[in-house]
Amino acid sequence: MPKNFLISAYETPADAQADAEIEPPPPDRESLRILVIGSRRGVTGTIQNLHRLRFAEVREWSPLMPAPNPGEVMSILTRYILADS
């Protein structure tokens, strides 16, 4: 994993995704959120493909949640990247 993508040191990936309010990132980091929206099969397949590509562990994604459009779900991944100075 590139070293500029780090999971917050003060929470586990599951905790970071489960919280409705996201805590501010450490001072030298900014949060980056990746959102996947689509059918249940499409979203889970994309998460699994990203895992195979070593982009993110499956457990780092939020549980599937209803999306604004009927029949769709969404999942979010939060990463912390080095902030540009």
Side-chain angles (χ1 to χ4, degrees):
M1 178 184 301
K3 58 183 170 181
N4 64 331
F5 282 100
L6 302 173
I7 295 178
S8 172
Y10 51 87
E11 33 185 13
T12 66
D15 292 340
Q17 302 302 323
D19 293 341
E21 292 183 28
I22 298 175
E23 293 184 36
D28 62 338
R29 309 265 185 248
E30 69 177 82
S31 64
L32 176 70
R33 290 180 204 86
I34 297 105
L35 179 65
V36 179
I37 301 175
S39 68
R40 179 177 293 272
R41 184 176 183 183
V43 171
T44 57
T46 298
I47 291 170
Q48 291 167 354
N49 284 333
L50 290 171
H51 171 71
R52 279 192 285 280
L53 294 170
R54 306 182 102 184
F55 180 77
E57 295 290 327
V58 172
R59 65 182 165 73
E60 294 177 303
W61 291 86
S62 71
L64 296 180
M65 301 171 279
N69 295 329
E72 290 186 333
V73 296
M74 60 185 176
S75 184
I76 189 167
L77 170 72
T78 302
R79 290 289 175 92
Y80 296 94
I81 61 173
L82 293 173
D84 290 333
S85 303

